[in-house]
Amino acid sequence: MTEGDKRMHPIRFPEFEIEVIRKRIRRINLHVTPEKVWMSIPYRVSRESAEQFARMHRDWILKQRAQLVRLPAEQGTPVADGMQLRLWGQTLRLYIVHGDGAPGLHKEAEALYLTVPQGAGDAQSQALLHHWFRGELEQALPGVCARWEAVTGRRALGYYIRDMKTRWGSCSLKTGRICINQRLIHEEPACLDYVMAHELTHLYVPNHGPDFWRLMDRFYPNWREIRRKMRK
Ligand SMILES: [Zn+2]
């Protein structure tokens, strides 16, 4: 909030609510993060028009939020029974089982069962989830790497997984190693494919010039569509 801003009543939908702030701006801005949705509107826009704008964007907001679902710790929320998580773009419902069984996770169709000891705290649940999702990505990686090395005809000297806030992947020409964002485990598999093709292509062309995209056309003809999705 800055000088002259005015907070209004939120606009409520069954699935979410939108914080509304009047500002000295020219047009309506809509922002979506995993934690909240907010809208800044110019002073001349009526409450009614703001609500209409919100209704028109409701489906878009829902879609954005679905794509933003991450591990609970990344959303700043505790692990809760019935919450939704995403694995390879598929939405899974989490069920918490308090019991004597070995702590861990078990996937069955569209359900994910988290077994924790009686009285376990949130930190333990978070750690189990984090470990399990990372394990899923680690398991998939060798196959995906081999496939894309065959397509591109280049080999990286190594791969590692990291949690990154702003990039899906990176490639060091100095070490020949490729870094993969561990959040790719939540996205549809095509996203990991894209990152792999992209980073291996950097072993031919270090920058994003025309030569780079020409090679991408050859290795991954569908790159535009996937990139558009990932930029959202
Ligand atoms: Zn790049």
Short mmCIF file of all heavy atoms in Angstrom, two decimals, residues 167 169-171 194 198-199 202 205-208 212-213, ligand 1:
data_model
loop_
_atom_site.label_atom_id
_atom_site.label_comp_id
_atom_site.label_asym_id
_atom_site.label_seq_id
_atom_site.Cartn_x
_atom_site.Cartn_y
_atom_site.Cartn_z
N ARG A 167 14.04 -19.84 -12.18
CA ARG A 167 14.40 -20.53 -13.42
C ARG A 167 14.01 -22.00 -13.35
O ARG A 167 14.04 -22.62 -12.31
CB ARG A 167 15.92 -20.47 -13.63
CG ARG A 167 16.48 -19.10 -13.49
CD ARG A 167 17.97 -19.13 -13.36
NE ARG A 167 18.59 -19.34 -14.67
CZ ARG A 167 19.89 -19.30 -14.86
NH1 ARG A 167 20.71 -19.14 -13.84
NH2 ARG A 167 20.40 -19.47 -16.05
N GLY A 169 15.55 -24.25 -15.31
CA GLY A 169 16.76 -25.03 -15.48
C GLY A 169 17.91 -24.11 -15.84
O GLY A 169 17.70 -22.93 -16.12
N SER A 170 19.12 -24.65 -15.78
CA SER A 170 20.26 -23.87 -16.24
C SER A 170 21.35 -24.83 -16.67
O SER A 170 21.33 -26.01 -16.33
CB SER A 170 20.76 -22.93 -15.14
OG SER A 170 21.28 -23.69 -14.07
N CYS A 171 22.28 -24.28 -17.46
CA CYS A 171 23.33 -25.12 -17.99
C CYS A 171 24.64 -24.36 -17.84
O CYS A 171 24.73 -23.21 -18.22
CB CYS A 171 23.03 -25.37 -19.47
SG CYS A 171 24.34 -26.24 -20.31
N TYR A 194 10.87 -30.15 -22.12
CA TYR A 194 11.26 -28.87 -22.71
C TYR A 194 12.56 -28.37 -22.08
O TYR A 194 13.49 -27.95 -22.78
CB TYR A 194 10.15 -27.82 -22.53
CG TYR A 194 10.63 -26.43 -22.89
CD1 TYR A 194 10.65 -26.02 -24.22
CD2 TYR A 194 11.11 -25.56 -21.92
CE1 TYR A 194 11.13 -24.76 -24.56
CE2 TYR A 194 11.59 -24.31 -22.25
CZ TYR A 194 11.60 -23.91 -23.57
OH TYR A 194 12.08 -22.67 -23.90
N HIS A 198 16.01 -27.80 -23.98
CA HIS A 198 16.52 -26.43 -23.97
C HIS A 198 17.97 -26.39 -23.44
O HIS A 198 18.86 -25.83 -24.09
CB HIS A 198 15.60 -25.58 -23.09
CG HIS A 198 15.96 -24.13 -23.02
ND1 HIS A 198 15.11 -23.14 -23.43
CD2 HIS A 198 17.06 -23.50 -22.56
CE1 HIS A 198 15.68 -21.97 -23.25
NE2 HIS A 198 16.87 -22.16 -22.71
N GLU A 199 18.20 -27.01 -22.30
CA GLU A 199 19.54 -26.92 -21.68
C GLU A 199 20.57 -27.69 -22.52
O GLU A 199 21.71 -27.25 -22.65
CB GLU A 199 19.51 -27.42 -20.23
CG GLU A 199 18.55 -26.66 -19.31
CD GLU A 199 18.71 -25.13 -19.35
OE1 GLU A 199 19.79 -24.64 -19.72
OE2 GLU A 199 17.71 -24.44 -19.03
N HIS A 202 21.77 -25.67 -25.32
CA HIS A 202 22.78 -24.67 -24.94
C HIS A 202 24.20 -25.22 -25.09
O HIS A 202 25.15 -24.45 -25.16
CB HIS A 202 22.56 -24.19 -23.51
CG HIS A 202 21.57 -23.07 -23.41
ND1 HIS A 202 21.58 -22.00 -24.28
CD2 HIS A 202 20.54 -22.85 -22.56
CE1 HIS A 202 20.59 -21.18 -23.96
NE2 HIS A 202 19.94 -21.68 -22.92
N VAL A 205 24.64 -23.93 -28.63
CA VAL A 205 24.53 -22.46 -28.73
C VAL A 205 24.31 -21.90 -27.32
O VAL A 205 23.29 -22.14 -26.72
CB VAL A 205 23.33 -22.06 -29.63
CG1 VAL A 205 23.31 -20.54 -29.82
CG2 VAL A 205 23.38 -22.78 -30.96
N PRO A 206 25.26 -21.14 -26.80
CA PRO A 206 25.13 -20.67 -25.41
C PRO A 206 24.03 -19.63 -25.22
O PRO A 206 23.47 -19.52 -24.14
CB PRO A 206 26.51 -20.06 -25.09
CG PRO A 206 27.23 -19.94 -26.39
CD PRO A 206 26.56 -20.80 -27.40
N ASN A 207 23.71 -18.85 -26.25
CA ASN A 207 22.73 -17.78 -26.07
C ASN A 207 21.35 -18.20 -26.60
O ASN A 207 21.16 -19.33 -27.00
CB ASN A 207 23.20 -16.51 -26.77
CG ASN A 207 23.50 -16.79 -28.24
OD1 ASN A 207 22.74 -17.45 -28.93
ND2 ASN A 207 24.64 -16.30 -28.70
N HIS A 208 20.41 -17.24 -26.61
CA HIS A 208 19.07 -17.52 -27.13
C HIS A 208 18.87 -16.86 -28.49
O HIS A 208 17.80 -16.35 -28.79
CB HIS A 208 17.99 -17.03 -26.15
CG HIS A 208 17.99 -17.79 -24.85
ND1 HIS A 208 18.11 -17.18 -23.64
CD2 HIS A 208 17.90 -19.10 -24.59
CE1 HIS A 208 18.10 -18.08 -22.67
NE2 HIS A 208 17.97 -19.27 -23.22
N PHE A 212 19.90 -20.82 -31.86
CA PHE A 212 19.40 -21.64 -30.75
C PHE A 212 18.00 -22.15 -31.06
O PHE A 212 17.70 -23.34 -30.96
CB PHE A 212 19.40 -20.81 -29.45
CG PHE A 212 18.86 -21.56 -28.27
CD1 PHE A 212 19.69 -22.36 -27.49
CD2 PHE A 212 17.51 -21.48 -27.92
CE1 PHE A 212 19.19 -23.06 -26.41
CE2 PHE A 212 17.01 -22.19 -26.84
CZ PHE A 212 17.85 -22.97 -26.08
N TRP A 213 17.11 -21.23 -31.47
CA TRP A 213 15.70 -21.62 -31.71
C TRP A 213 15.57 -22.49 -32.94
O TRP A 213 14.66 -23.31 -33.04
CB TRP A 213 14.80 -20.39 -31.74
CG TRP A 213 14.84 -19.66 -30.42
CD1 TRP A 213 15.38 -18.44 -30.17
CD2 TRP A 213 14.36 -20.15 -29.16
NE1 TRP A 213 15.27 -18.13 -28.83
CE2 TRP A 213 14.65 -19.16 -28.18
CE3 TRP A 213 13.72 -21.33 -28.75
CZ2 TRP A 213 14.32 -19.31 -26.83
CZ3 TRP A 213 13.39 -21.48 -27.39
CH2 TRP A 213 13.70 -20.48 -26.47
ZN ZN B 1 18.31 -20.85 -22.03
#
